[in-house]
Amino acid sequence: AQSVTQLDSQVPVFEEAPVELRCNYSSSVSVYLFWYVQYPNQGLQLLLKYLSGSTLVKGINGFEAEFNKSQTSFHLRKPSVHISDTAEYFCAVSEGGAQKLVFGQGTRLTINP
Amino acid sequence: DTGVSQDPRHKITKRGQNVTFRCDPISEHNRLYWYRQTLGQGPEFLTYFQNEAQLEKSRLLSDRFSAERPKGSFSTLEIQHTEQGDSAMYLCASSSTTAYGYTFGSGTRLTVV
């Protein structure tokens, strides 16, 4: 069965520093991969998605992620973070084009001035 | 397009009472999903509709839970005889047939006392 592991529950960084949020998945078939962001007391907003094609995917708010099939990873990166990036970030996978998403447990990104 | 709307935003109920939540998806989206999110966890899939047909239901969804989408537009999620373990954020999302990646609503936070 598919599963998603977000390796860091919390990531503190200083403003304008680069950040990487790690995500690994397990699946025996082809997958679609997603990153969502959740601000306090709000629903989830789609940051970016990988369906096929180029393994480097660019999303909103300056985020990007790279799909690595051999390492079954889909890490999220941003070269320079801002205070407004403080939020919870969730990696998710759908297996074989299924509609259901399986989410990781989330990574809380905290930006310090 | 006003996005996905959920009502109410917050619900406090006594154990044993029944509650019903409503979700209005984006109008042109024919797929609708319900997820549950507990504190510090990622969302967990509950059920999924395509138009008015309920196509998949999680084993997490006990017999006390029922969801409907009678005319293929809005959906309701009912929980009968609520228990303290039902306390969570209930998230609704919608998508179109041709696009992967959901649009989430802001959620309904249920507290069972």
Side-chain angles (χ1 to χ4, degrees):
Chain A
Q2 56 188 315
S3 66
V4 177
T5 302
Q6 292 185 241
L7 296 159
D8 306 292
S9 59
Q10 295 187 61
V11 173
V13 294
F14 288 106
E15 195 172 14
E16 298 183 5
V19 69
E20 178 180 80
L21 306 183
R22 298 180 292 168
C23 173
N24 285 89
Y25 67 92
S26 66
S27 175
S28 56
V29 299
S30 63
V31 294
Y32 296 158
L33 295 155
F34 306 83
W35 275 99
Y36 284 85
V37 60
Q38 186 176 34
Y39 299 102
N41 298 314
Q42 294 188 28
L44 283 74
Q45 180 182 5
L46 181 65
L47 275 178
L48 48 78
K49 60 187 175 185
Y50 171 80
L51 304 182
S52 64
S54 173
T55 56
L56 183 63
V57 180
K58 293 190 184 297
I60 62 171
N61 301 341
F63 284 93
E64 64 181 31
E66 186 157 19
F67 171 53
N68 188 318
K69 188 175 181 179
S70 62
Q71 297 188 3
T72 60
S73 68
F74 190 54
H75 299 335
L76 181 71
R77 302 186 185 100
K78 186 169 183 178
S80 176
V81 295
H82 189 267
I83 291 283
S84 60
D85 293 322
T86 296
E88 190 93 19
Y89 291 80
F90 292 94
C91 181
V93 61
S94 74
E95 195 172 58
Q99 290 301 312
K100 179 177 73 174
L101 290 184
V102 175
F103 285 84
Q105 292 192 310
T107 298
R108 182 172 299 279
L109 178 62
T110 306
I111 313 298
N112 299 307
Chain B
D1 179 5
T2 56
V4 178
S5 299
Q6 291 189 246
D7 183 68
R9 289 294 306 274
H10 303 276
K11 178 72 177 179
I12 300 174
T13 191
K14 292 183 178 179
R15 191 173 51 184
Q17 297 294 305
N18 299 343
V19 294
T20 301
F21 311 140
R22 177 181 170 120
C23 172
D24 287 87
I26 291 172
S27 56
E28 60 266 29
H29 285 180
N30 62 342
R31 290 176 173 161
L32 187 147
Y33 314 82
W34 286 99
Y35 281 75
R36 180 172 65 189
Q37 185 180 22
T38 53
L39 204 60
Q41 302 294 316
E44 294 176 296
F45 172 79
L46 292 178
T47 191
Y48 145 57
F49 291 85
Q50 179 157 314
N51 300 313
E52 64 275 11
Q54 188 172 20
L55 296 186
E56 189 173 351
K57 192 174 172 180
S58 167
R59 283 169 288 181
L60 291 174
L61 219 59
S62 75
D63 291 343
R64 296 185 297 106
F65 288 70
S66 62
E68 294 183 341
R69 195 184 182 198
K71 297 181 180 178
S73 56
F74 73 91
S75 175
T76 57
L77 177 68
E78 182 183 17
I79 308 174
Q80 295 184 324
H81 313 301
T82 52
E83 301 172 357
Q84 285 190 320
D86 297 331
S87 294
M89 175 79 88
Y90 290 83
L91 294 164
C92 177
S94 68
S95 71
S96 67
T97 312
T98 55
Y100 282 92
Y102 310 155
T103 300
F104 277 90
S106 297
T108 294
R109 183 169 294 282
L110 173 66
T111 302
V112 181
V113 297

